[in-house]
Each structure stands twice: as C-alpha cells, then as structure tokens.
Amino acid sequence: VLLPTGDKYVVAIEKGIEDLLPYFRMLQSPRRLHTTLTSKISQVDLAKKQGFPVPEAMEIKNSNDIAAFYKKINGPIILKPEFSYAWHGEKAQAALDDAKILVARTENDAKKMYAMARHYSERLLAEEFIEGDDSNLFYFTGIFGKNDRVGGRLIGKKIRVVPPRKGSASFVQLVDIPRLEKQCTDFLCSIGYRGICGIEVKYDSEDKEYKLIEINPRYGLWEDIGIPVGIDLAKEAVDDLYGDALRPRRPKSFKQKWVALHRDFQVYPAYRKEENLSLYAWSKSLRGPIVVNDFPLFEDTPYAIHVALRYGRQFLAKMRNVAKDSEQPLAAVSK
C-alpha cells in the first residue's frame, strides 16, 4: 500500500502511476484529480465551479498584477506558491522565515513580497486576507471511496500555528461543526474524489462563511488525533484497498487534542507576547486527552536522527541569513 504524506509525493505518484501500479495498491481519483487539488491555483478554480466559498484570488505573473490585485481588494492580501513544497527548501525557508504564506498590508509591501517570493516559485497565487484569529482556522479531513461512499471524518480547530497566521498547526482541538462537515463532504463527493483528503478553511465573521484556505489530497500531519476517538484514517484507507467497504464514522467525543511539541515550544513566546498566553494557560492546554506528535520519535532512532539533522540544517541556514543581514549596513557604511 502506498499512501502519500506530502504534496510532492502526491504529484510524483500521479506522474508515475502506470509504473507504480504493478507493485502498489493506491487510492486513485479520476483525471489526475489529486495533482489538480495539490495546485493552489487549480484548487481555487475547481472550488469556485462547485460553489465552495473562496476568498477573492488571482494568479500573479508580475509586479503590476499584484499591485492591481491589492487595489482591487483595498486591504491585506496574502501570497502563496502554486505548490507548497516550492517553499520547503532551506534557502526558501530561511528567506521567508518558514512561512507557508506571505501577508502584505500595503501596496508597497505587496510589491516587495512578490519580488522576494518569485525566486522560489514559478507560479504564485494572491488572495484576499480573511481577518480573524488563528482560532478561526478549521481543518476537515476524511476518507472517500467508490460510489460516493464516505468513511471516517473529523474537524480540528487550529488553536496555535507556527509562525502565527502564516504557518502550520502546532496545537489542534477536535470540534463538532456539522455544517462545515457537510460542506466539505458534498464538495469532495461532487468531484468524484477517492482517498484521504484534508480541507483547511477560515471562518469569515463578516459573511458567516467557511472559506477555502487550501486542499491537501493526502494524509496530513495531525490526522492521528482521530485514532483515540475511533477515526483511524490510515487504517481505513488500507482496509478499503483490500476490499473492506468504508463505513460512516464520526468521533466518539470531541475533547481530543493534538500537539507537535517541537513546534509549540517554538511558537509559545509569540503567543505569549501577542495574546497574553500565560505559561500556566499554555501548560494547562497540553493536558490530556492529547496526542503528542513527537513521541513516536523515541521509538524510531533513525527517524529521530533524521529530524534532528533536518532542524539543525534549518537553524544553521537561518543563522547564516541573520548574519548576512547584519553585515549589510556595515558594508554600506564602509563603502
């Protein structure tokens, strides 16, 4: 069985699908749908056609485009790469401060943002920035089979993300929102999707809509949150591939939480400064029932070493970037 856990694997698997089929069982959707949904540009177009609420958006090809889009929105905008993995390289992460998106609140900042980001992605998408706290971010995930059969599904509320307002979840709480569950389930069934899929949305308090942030046609980082409450999406995917038909499943309770400690430690100072999150309140939030994403590292020494080296390289790249920035004013003065 082959289950992708990252966007670059989704794209690679669909490109080489004919060569892989003799050796692997895979959940497949029609018409290279998984790759279409991995593209931030294509997923917005598809969502619009199916009536899924989306923010104002535009593909950006030059600095004039982003200036025009900012004037149209007349407010904060965000910029993101067509494929998220374009910004996963060490150079991109150091330059963009590990952000999944960039936010501009002035036209001049928007132009600077584009000038920096275009070096790391061939195609870029600008979107209207939906105001609101990180806690307005929600993530639906579920598994879909043949003939619109739906298996387990759940929704998490992103309490903390790293970096704040621009990154990935570090702390998630399960929630029960039937309206959002139906919105996402109806959309994925309408396009004939098969497999595990996550849809991130942000609640827009102005028009009371859950609007698309991104679609992830794969197993995601925090889906393990469902295992203690009866939603094991990876196991359901394997069972489905071996002929065990999917059955509708919802969480047995909604008290379950999930944390990536290495991320939450990193981002806590920012939330303490911006939202007055006390050390007591933060530590209290980590009480059970909770799935700690980091614990499996202690059971897999080679993977623990791999993660330590990866974060070590990222830290060194950031330090080099900081050192380079600090040298520029001195160089200017000396000249």
Side-chain angles (χ1 to χ4, degrees), residues 103-160:
V103 182
R105 295 187 176 274
T106 68
E107 182 179 339
N108 190 46
D109 284 345
K111 290 179 179 179
K112 290 180 179 178
M113 185 170 70
Y114 169 75
M116 178 171 57
R118 67 185 180 88
H119 297 294
Y120 305 104
S121 178
E122 292 183 5
R123 300 179 70 190
L124 296 161
L125 180 73
E127 288 184 346
E128 168 192 11
F129 179 76
I130 301 171
E131 297 285 2
D133 295 336
D134 290 334
S135 57
N136 284 350
L137 290 168
F138 298 89
Y139 194 93
F140 165 90
T141 185
I143 181 165
F144 297 79
K146 295 178 180 178
N147 303 318
D148 294 339
R149 189 181 290 273
V150 184
R153 64 268 197 200
L154 46 85
I155 297 173
K157 182 176 185 177
K158 293 190 173 184
I159 308 298
R160 294 188 287 273

Side-chain angles (χ1 to χ4, degrees), residues 3 19 49 58 69 111 116 118 130 134 151-153 182 202 211 229 231 251 261 287 310 324:
L3 297 176
D19 294 326
K49 290 178 182 177
M58 174 181 175
F69 184 73
K111 290 179 179 179
M116 178 171 57
R118 67 185 180 88
I130 301 171
D134 290 334
R153 64 268 197 200
K182 184 177 187 305
K202 189 169 186 179
K211 294 184 178 179
V229 293
I231 308 296
L261 283 175
R287 295 176 184 174
R310 184 178 68 188
K324 187 184 297 183

Side-chain angles (χ1 to χ4, degrees), residues 253-292:
S253 74
F254 295 91
K255 296 180 180 179
Q256 192 67 41
K257 296 176 283 188
W258 172 94
V259 66
L261 283 175
H262 67 286
R263 289 181 170 188
D264 222 39
F265 279 130
Q266 176 186 346
V267 80
Y268 165 68
Y271 281 97
R272 181 175 183 176
K273 181 178 180 181
E274 295 180 13
E275 300 184 8
N276 296 316
L277 179 65
S278 68
L279 182 61
Y280 173 76
W282 174 71
S283 60
K284 185 179 179 181
S285 73
L286 301 180
R287 295 176 184 174
I290 191 167
V291 173
V292 180

Side-chain angles (χ1 to χ4, degrees), residues 137-188:
L137 290 168
F138 298 89
Y139 194 93
F140 165 90
T141 185
I143 181 165
F144 297 79
K146 295 178 180 178
N147 303 318
D148 294 339
R149 189 181 290 273
V150 184
R153 64 268 197 200
L154 46 85
I155 297 173
K157 182 176 185 177
K158 293 190 173 184
I159 308 298
R160 294 188 287 273
V161 301
V162 55
R165 289 170 299 285
K166 299 179 183 179
S168 300
S170 67
F171 184 81
V172 175
Q173 166 79 57
L174 278 188
V175 290
D176 184 16
I177 310 177
R179 171 190 164 192
L180 178 57
E181 183 179 308
K182 184 177 187 305
Q183 177 179 320
C184 294
T185 300
D186 288 351
F187 167 70
L188 291 169

